[in-house]
Amino acid sequence: MNFSRINECFQAITDEDVLEAMREIPGYLDITPSDFIEVYRIAFDHAISRVKTAIRAEHIMTRNVVSVLEDAPLLEAAMQMRDHDISGVPVLNEEGAVTGVISEKDFLSRMNENKEPSFMQVLIQCMDDSRCLALPLKTLKARDIMSSPPVIVHQGLKLMDVANLLDRNNINRVPVSDDNNALVGIIARSDLVQAMC
């Protein structure tokens, strides 16, 4: 049992969660440390269950999303990713709908070579150097290397459904759209962890 983790999440437990947990323990309830831990554990499970169903994508998403248009040069996409210290960006059409996603993996797959940790800076430098493997990328647009169709979630999707979708698709972030299919946010795995505790 990770007590420090439970303590971090303590504020998520309501009095109703504790009362519900106490109702589930049969017989006379003697408040010893072990009883309290049992009540605490059950109350914590109730809180997690409540959080899983109450929190929606729109509650945890980042609203100011860095994105690029389909016709943006790849150099612009790379500079956006470097400047904002992010490893991927949604790609939008003129109507603001997400049509793809570009990640470092998309650049790497086109260059077919392992890169150093400071990949984006190397890429930018290579795009200005005629001997660089990235040179063919210089003339391409965002739409040429983006992963498409993109995985997108609606802003009303439940937290646990978002988490399951990230795991199922083995991705680290997912754009969030509204009823008009317009980009309204983005959720990273770190947003999910923060929302749970």
Side-chain angles (χ1 to χ4, degrees):
M1 180 178 289
N2 185 340
F3 288 101
S4 63
R5 184 71 177 268
I6 288 176
N7 287 334
E8 290 174 7
C9 298
F10 179 76
Q11 292 181 345
I13 298 175
T14 65
D15 291 344
E16 188 171 332
D17 292 323
V18 174
L19 290 174
E20 189 65 30
M22 293 176 73
R23 287 188 199 109
E24 289 187 15
I25 296 175
Y28 176 73
L29 182 61
D30 187 15
I31 305 298
T32 64
S34 61
D35 288 337
F36 179 79
I37 289 173
E38 182 66 11
V39 171
Y40 191 99
R41 186 190 62 75
I42 295 172
F44 181 76
D45 289 344
H46 280 283
I48 291 298
S49 177
R50 178 170 41 82
V51 167
K52 286 178 181 175
T53 57
I55 297 179
R56 308 284 177 166
E58 63 189 327
H59 299 138
I60 64 168
M61 66 185 184
T62 299
R63 294 181 186 277
N64 296 322
V65 184
V66 177
S67 61
V68 296
L69 294 174
E70 293 175 326
D71 290 331
L74 280 185
L75 179 59
E76 178 184 324
M79 292 176 73
Q80 288 278 7
M81 292 164 66
R82 179 201 63 187
D83 293 347
H84 295 278
D85 194 26
I86 53 179
S87 58
V89 291
V91 181
L92 309 180
N93 63 18
E94 292 181 356
E95 289 75 38
V98 180
T99 56
V101 174
I102 294 180
S103 68
E104 291 175 349
K105 191 184 301 181
D106 294 313
F107 281 102
L108 281 171
S109 66
R110 286 298 183 117
M111 294 172 66
N112 196 26
E113 183 178 286
N114 291 330
K115 291 295 174 187
E116 299 297 321
S118 59
F119 169 72
M120 296 314 296
Q121 185 58 44
V122 172
L123 178 65
I124 292 167
Q125 291 173 350
C126 287
M127 290 174 127
D128 289 330
D129 185 343
S130 62
R131 295 170 294 174
C132 179
L133 289 173
L135 188 60
L137 300 180
K138 189 174 182 179
T139 59
L140 299 180
K141 306 289 186 186
R143 67 158 48 103
D144 296 325
I145 74 162
M146 67 184 186
S147 297
S148 183
V151 177
I152 305 171
V153 298
H154 184 267
Q155 61 185 357
L157 193 65
K158 295 176 184 174
L159 175 69
M160 289 312 297
D161 292 332
V162 174
N164 291 334
L165 182 139
L166 290 176
D167 285 341
R168 191 169 55 249
N169 290 281
N170 193 28
I171 55 178
N172 295 318
R173 74 197 66 77
V174 62
V176 182
S177 65
D178 63 12
D179 292 337
N180 298 317
N181 204 32
L183 178 68
V184 293
I186 193 164
I187 296 175
R189 286 183 183 272
S190 58
D191 297 320
L192 293 173
V193 173
Q194 289 179 350
M196 293 299 291
C197 291

